Amino acid sequence: MLSNLKAALALVCLLVFTVDALRASSMEDLMKRRRMLYRKRDLPRVPMRREVPVQWTTLPIDHWGNYQGTFQNRYWYNATYYQSGGPVFLFDVGESNAEPFGGQLELDGDDIHLSVMRLAKRYNGVAIVWEHRYYGESLPFPVNENTTKEQWQFHTVEQALEDVVYFAQRFSFPHPDQRTASYRPHPSSTPWIFIGGSYPGIRAAYLRIRNPETIYASWSSSAPVEAQIDMSSYWQAAERALPRNCSNDWIAVTKYFDKVFTDGSDQEVHDLRVRIVTAEFTGPGGNTTMLEELGYLREVDNFNVSKLAYYLMDPLGNFQNNGIPPVLTFCDVMETRNGTGPAYSKGLATRFNVTVALDAFLIGISETDPNTFAIASPPVTDDADTLAWHYQYCTEFGFFQGANPHNNRSIQSQFLTQADIEQDCLGSFPAGAVPPEPRVKVLNDAYGGWYMNPTHVFFTNGQIDPWRTLSIASFEENAPKRVGITAIPTCYTAPNESFYFGIVYRGETHVKDLYSPLTEPVEPFYTSLALFQMALDEWLPCFSSKN
């Protein structure tokens, strides 16, 4: 199982291998890559600072008592700005090792601003970075290919939510004014504020609904709150964001690919396979060194149709985090045929035919530097974290990003199917460890999905983030199409069900507002921080008066 995850890179979840990783692999390794994997959020590259020491808390493995046993869960805190009565701000890292954030828990770290510290300073509070069970070193059991069905069963949304509640009720720290005294900011007397993006953003909303007596307010960034098995909308969102000439040609090439591999002769299939493999492993300027050294053309017929379909998605790279600019580099090369001709507004397939578009597409693949599509920051997760997230979407969330056979503008091959992902889930874990299909209805019935309407929750999203399609800000065909408002709801009052309190950032992608580089300030970080602070200015006095 785990050997098939070696190619997966970090983040809440993307279904395409990076070009640089693929091109650097040996043939043997490539032949092991049999499926698409969700890439989690690409966390910012931050140094492991040691000024903020790691803390450990003891948690039950099973909060409902059917299994006896405990484990040690990691967290970090900074009480530098704390004054009596100040709130607790908990930043949840979610489906990744939390150490980079924990070690950076200062007002301004070496590389980034963290929203949690900005809030702690403004409100004289405590800042906490929390590591989710089954990730990093917060392990009820070792996570690897030998993890059993019995050990996996405690890796659930409800167990992890209860971890936060259990911790909040017991958290204590030396009071800054009395260093030897232990101070306990219990949720009954201290407002706890939960902050998270992507999967932790889902948790931020869930906890406010599930445990309002514990979590007083939440900031939920880029949260796909609608659990859904079919998430073909992911790639539909990417297609919508592309220039029309580029997407038109991409669609035409994809349809041609599917037609050849469905109805083409053996020779047509072989020829197209050769052309795609050649383009994939040829570098800019016609550099065929890797193609020749690794003998890819001798093995070309071993490249199955799914692998070739992945290669056609290479130019999207890490779209959910990097957005449009890297893809535009590929589009420019394709539409101008590497600078040898003019671009046409409706694309090459419309102006000429699909053969011309295919030629140009493959030129774009080979002539675009693969580093263009690489992740900006090296991943901070490892194989165990990837496997743990794999288990969560296979059991509860779905988020299967296979092709939609009814979408006439699909840039994703119909050979990348939902059924293949389901089979991969069943084959990646011990028998009976995952259900025949994810139990998405359980979560949506419990929390409302994109119909949820909690009080004291601030929702933020990027306009072109593919995960927005399952967020409260979704405008997909089957979504409620709610409208974001920035007028702050009064205490304990939810907006009208047609609205939500939050903002969508024009042209932005995934989780762009919870942290910001020091050298390249990110506008959504400051805008979201300001609006959430205005909301807390409205909501926090109500906590004081109520208690």
Side-chain angles (χ1 to χ4, degrees):
M1 294 178 292
L2 199 56
S3 63
N4 290 317
L5 296 168
K6 296 290 187 182
L9 299 176
L11 199 86
V12 253
C13 308
L14 182 62
L15 268 180
V16 64
F17 295 119
T18 54
V19 182
D20 53 333
L22 283 167
R23 292 182 175 178
S25 300
S26 66
M27 173 56 70
E28 179 182 359
D29 186 44
L30 276 171
M31 291 298 101
K32 292 180 181 178
R33 303 178 192 274
R34 62 178 177 84
R35 68 177 184 268
M36 293 180 289
L37 292 171
Y38 292 70
R39 200 157 56 217
K40 298 186 291 298
R41 289 162 299 126
D42 294 320
L43 304 181
R45 186 67 169 177
V46 296
M48 303 290 191
R49 298 180 65 84
R50 300 301 178 186
E51 288 85 344
V52 182
V54 65
Q55 309 289 331
W56 298 90
T57 186
T58 302
L59 299 177
I61 292 176
D62 178 15
H63 286 282
W64 289 273
N66 296 317
Y67 178 91
Q68 300 302 314
T70 61
F71 72 101
Q72 295 296 298
N73 203 101
R74 285 198 301 184
Y75 70 98
W76 295 257
Y77 80 91
N78 188 332
T80 300
Y81 303 104
Y82 181 76
Q83 294 181 17
S84 294
V88 175
F89 295 93
L90 188 148
F91 180 85
D92 180 39
V93 176
E95 72 279 28
S96 294
N97 184 322
E99 186 173 8
F101 280 109
Q104 192 77 358
L105 199 56
E106 297 179 351
L107 177 59
D108 293 312
D110 283 351
D111 289 332
I112 61 173
H113 299 290
L114 291 181
S115 56
V116 66
M117 281 307 300
R118 291 275 162 174
L119 292 166
K121 182 178 183 182
R122 178 181 173 89
Y123 294 99
N124 299 316
V126 180
I128 296 174
V129 166
W130 179 256
E131 187 167 76
H132 190 294
R133 65 164 56 200
Y134 283 82
Y135 295 99
E137 295 184 13
S138 298
L139 303 176
F141 305 98
V143 173
N144 52 47
E145 68 273 13
N146 298 316
T147 307
T148 67
K149 171 188 173 182
E150 291 71 26
Q151 293 170 333
W152 277 121
Q153 67 177 313
F154 305 108
H155 186 26
T156 68
V157 166
E158 291 299 323
Q159 293 282 2
L161 293 175
E162 192 63 21
D163 285 343
V164 176
V165 175
Y166 186 93
F167 171 74
Q169 293 171 348
R170 292 161 177 79
F171 172 62
S172 65
F173 63 96
H175 194 288
D177 297 332
Q178 299 174 322
R179 295 294 178 179
T180 59
S182 180
Y183 179 72
R184 176 168 292 176
H186 193 274
S188 63
S189 58
T190 301
W192 280 63
I193 318 297
F194 193 99
I195 303 165
S198 195
Y199 167 49
I202 302 174
R203 281 160 53 78
Y206 280 5
L207 275 165
R208 180 61 193 153
I209 296 168
R210 182 184 188 270
N211 300 99
E213 77 291 342
T214 300
I215 300 301
Y216 184 68
S218 290
W219 176 350
S220 172
S221 174
S222 297
V225 295
E226 175 77 0
Q228 190 167 290
I229 294 174
D230 179 355
M231 199 190 175
S232 54
S233 59
Y234 186 101
W235 296 116
Q236 290 169 212
E239 184 275 322
R240 287 194 296 259
L242 294 171
R244 289 302 84 184
N245 58 352
C246 186
S247 64
N248 287 345
D249 285 333
W250 206 321
I251 291 164
V253 168
T254 300
K255 288 181 178 179
Y256 176 78
F257 174 90
D258 287 348
K259 185 176 186 301
V260 168
F261 276 90
T262 300
D263 301 321
S265 66
D266 289 346
Q267 188 61 50
E268 289 173 323
V269 169
H270 174 80
D271 290 347
L272 183 55
R273 183 179 272 121
V274 168
R275 294 192 66 191
I276 294 174
V277 171
T278 300
E280 178 70 17
F281 298 100
T282 296
N287 185 344
T288 60
T289 301
M290 181 173 292
L291 190 69
E292 296 165 357
E293 286 183 352
L294 299 178
Y296 285 120
L297 291 182
R298 293 194 300 273
E299 304 287 344
V300 69
D301 289 323
N302 290 325
F303 285 78
N304 62 37
V305 64
S306 296
K307 191 182 304 299
L308 299 175
Y310 298 150
Y311 295 162
L312 297 185
M313 303 298 285
D314 275 350
L316 281 173
N318 190 18
F319 175 79
Q320 72 176 36
N321 288 284
N322 295 339
I324 287 295
V327 193
L328 290 182
T329 301
F330 163 80
C331 290
D332 289 344
V333 173
M334 174 172 68
E335 294 304 322
T336 65
R337 287 167 282 182
N338 202 26
T340 63
Y344 299 96
S345 61
K346 293 184 179 180
L348 298 168
T350 300
R351 178 78 178 195
F352 302 105
N353 54 51
V354 71
T355 301
V356 174
L358 175 64
D359 291 345
F361 190 95
L362 296 178
I363 288 172
I365 290 286
S366 61
E367 290 298 325
T368 304
D369 185 341
N371 291 324
T372 302
F373 312 120
I375 298 174
S377 301
V380 295
T381 56
D382 58 19
D383 291 331
D385 290 337
T386 302
L387 185 62
W389 177 238
H390 189 45
Y391 180 83
Q392 286 197 268
Y393 71 71
C394 288
T395 55
E396 298 189 271
F397 286 110
F399 301 155
F400 292 171
Q401 296 158 11
N404 177 0
H406 308 294
N407 177 19
N408 193 46
R409 290 194 60 81
S410 178
I411 57 175
Q412 186 180 23
S413 168
Q414 298 300 315
F415 284 97
L416 303 178
T417 69
Q418 306 287 344
D420 287 341
I421 302 172
E422 287 191 9
Q423 287 303 309
D424 179 66
C425 283
L426 295 174
S428 295
F429 299 95
V434 300
E437 61 179 28
R439 297 181 289 266
V440 297
K441 188 175 185 298
V442 174
L443 290 179
N444 291 334
D445 286 350
Y447 298 105
W450 50 30
Y451 293 93
M452 66 170 55
N453 202 23
T455 62
H456 297 183
V457 179
F458 174 49
F459 293 97
T460 58
N461 282 276
Q463 180 193 21
I464 62 172
D465 178 10
W467 292 97
R468 180 189 173 193
T469 62
L470 296 184
S471 78
I472 202 167
S474 176
F475 57 89
E476 299 305 304
E477 183 177 351
N478 58 333
K481 300 179 179 63
R482 297 167 70 177
V483 177
I485 58 172
T486 54
I488 298 165
T490 57
C491 296
Y492 305 106
T493 303
N496 178 287
E497 62 184 13
S498 297
F499 301 90
Y500 66 91
F501 173 50
I503 190 168
V504 174
Y505 290 103
R506 184 176 179 82
E508 290 293 350
T509 51
H510 198 56
V511 193
K512 294 302 182 184
D513 59 345
L514 296 186
Y515 31 78
S516 174
L518 295 178
T519 55
E520 300 176 28
V522 178
E523 186 273 334
F525 171 81
Y526 296 99
T527 301
S528 289
L529 190 61
L531 189 53
F532 190 53
Q533 287 172 171
M534 292 172 65
L536 292 180
D537 289 345
E538 176 80 19
W539 298 337
L540 287 175
C542 298
F543 182 95
S544 300
S545 62
K546 181 178 179 180
N547 290 278

